[in-house]
Amino acid sequence: MASPEIETLTQALARLPGLGPRSARRAVLHLLKKREAAMAPLLRALEAVNERLVTCHVCGNVDTTDPCTICADPRRDARLLCVVEEVADLWALDRARLFPGRFHVLGGRLSALEGVRPEDLAIDSLIRRVAAGGIDEVVLAMNATLEGQTTAHYIAERIESFPVRLTQLAHGLPVGGELDYLDEGTLAQALRARRPVS
Amino acid sequence: MASPEIETLTQALARLPGLGPRSARRAVLHLLKKREAAMAPLLRALEAVNERLVTCHVCGNVDTTDPCTICADPRRDARLLCVVEEVADLWALDRARLFPGRFHVLGGRLSALEGVRPEDLAIDSLIRRVAAGGIDEVVLAMNATLEGQTTAHYIAERIESFPVRLTQLAHGLPVGGELDYLDEGTLAQALRARRPVS
């Protein structure tokens, strides 16, 4: 039988999204077989993240500094604020290097099913940032899911009394998307938002 | 953009079997969101495994002691030796608590495709254990795969000159197996190894 240390590690890994008990066990075995090549680097990386990373109290990003690099960067346009569900969404938008402004991470999405209410998300702090002024445009960059759009609607209602421009990401065909393979919802959105050929 | 610490952790996790770059990123995010509930336990578990676990020099099992609990247990039948491919197979057999003897872990299987040769596995140490005497039966408990069976054949050839009984796990219908859903190979094995009704 595996030792209690291995059981504990297996259980800790199995709780990660994407890993179940079986694959966690396989992962532990891999770590045990490759102690120098896999276990040591993973341990060091985990320690580094655990020791050095903090959550930015302004935007909710995770970084080695608080405020984070993005919030502290004077070249970023402070009048532009992009609201996202998760830190991963912030990273995805920032990887594309297309957004010159700052971010606000909600930490999730409203969900009746999972019991996530407005007070569970960083919505009040978003309203405070908007109320403090200095922001011209708030881009709602929620996921194009039912829950993401519900969250966007809720935030739009809370923000509409403030003098800022409220926008949201465009919906339509993804780049490389073939009509034949796209769902009806996407096609309907693309058709509804059709634009004159320039 | 994610900090270098996060990138390093993502890469370390992505190298685990069962996790790719995307799911590793999701796992890192989960760890960052649940620092107390997920990151701290994982870190502690990994440290415990890394510090306390050693490979048994006798059988190749992974345990907190060397020789391992199984090799050191006087109630285990030393005359019975079960050869398995991986530590996980040892655990699986030991979980079932059906085998009263000791084990020998090969650390893999012969594979022309992956370039695994006999000298890459713990086969010489197995031969030395058998040659040292005191063993009545060697059970070859390789996987019922082509590579597992090739490995079993190779080991059988190396051991047959010694005065031990060589056996292998039975092949046939798994418990709960329905003929309709089983592959032809399994059905052929089950038919070939058919036994008189007792």
Side-chain angles (χ1 to χ4, degrees), chain B residues 99-114:
Chain B
F99 188 72
R102 295 188 178 162
F103 291 92
H104 190 87
V105 180
L106 295 175
R109 62 217 64 81
L110 297 178
S111 168
L113 211 66
E114 296 169 25

Side-chain angles (χ1 to χ4, degrees), chain A residues 1 35 50 52-53 94, chain B residues 1 5 35 50 53 94:
Chain A
M1 214 174 50
R35 288 181 86 122
N50 192 45
R52 285 185 226 147
L53 290 203
D94 207 55
Chain B
M1 212 174 54
E5 285 85 359
R35 287 180 87 124
N50 192 44
L53 290 202
D94 206 55

Side-chain angles (χ1 to χ4, degrees), chain B residues 130-178:
Chain B
V130 174
I135 293 172
D136 291 346
E137 179 178 350
V138 174
V139 185
L140 299 177
M142 269 84 255
N143 287 328
T145 58
L146 181 64
E147 291 174 338
Q149 295 307 303
T150 307
T151 312
H153 275 293
Y154 177 83
I155 292 175
E157 272 180 15
R158 295 269 310 257
I159 287 185
E160 65 180 3
S161 57
F162 295 98
V164 294
R165 207 154 71 93
L166 252 183
T167 55
Q168 63 174 345
L169 295 187
H171 294 169
L173 308 185
V175 173
E178 298 179 58

Side-chain angles (χ1 to χ4, degrees), chain A residues 16-18 61-62 86-95, chain B residues 1-15 19-33:
Chain A
L16 294 182
N61 186 16
V62 175
E86 301 280 4
V87 177
D89 303 330
L90 185 160
W91 295 343
L93 283 168
D94 207 55
R95 262 202 302 280
Chain B
M1 212 174 54
S3 72
E5 285 85 359
I6 292 175
E7 285 305 324
T8 310
L9 179 57
T10 307
Q11 281 164 23
L13 277 173
R15 261 181 256 120
L19 279 177
R22 281 195 97 85
S23 45
R25 190 170 285 277
R26 214 155 2 110
V28 170
L29 234 96
H30 175 83
L31 290 173
L32 287 172
K33 276 187 91 170

Side-chain angles (χ1 to χ4, degrees), chain B residues 82-141:
Chain B
C82 181
V83 185
V84 293
E85 293 180 20
E86 300 281 4
V87 177
D89 303 330
L90 186 161
W91 296 343
L93 284 168
D94 206 55
R95 262 202 303 281
R97 283 167 206 277
L98 291 169
F99 188 72
R102 295 188 178 162
F103 291 92
H104 190 87
V105 180
L106 295 175
R109 62 217 64 81
L110 297 178
S111 168
L113 211 66
E114 296 169 25
V116 181
R117 297 154 305 168
E119 53 266 41
D120 298 322
L121 303 177
I123 293 179
D124 284 343
S125 59
L126 169 65
I127 305 299
R128 281 197 298 273
R129 285 181 83 176
V130 174
I135 293 172
D136 291 346
E137 179 178 350
V138 174
V139 185
L140 299 177

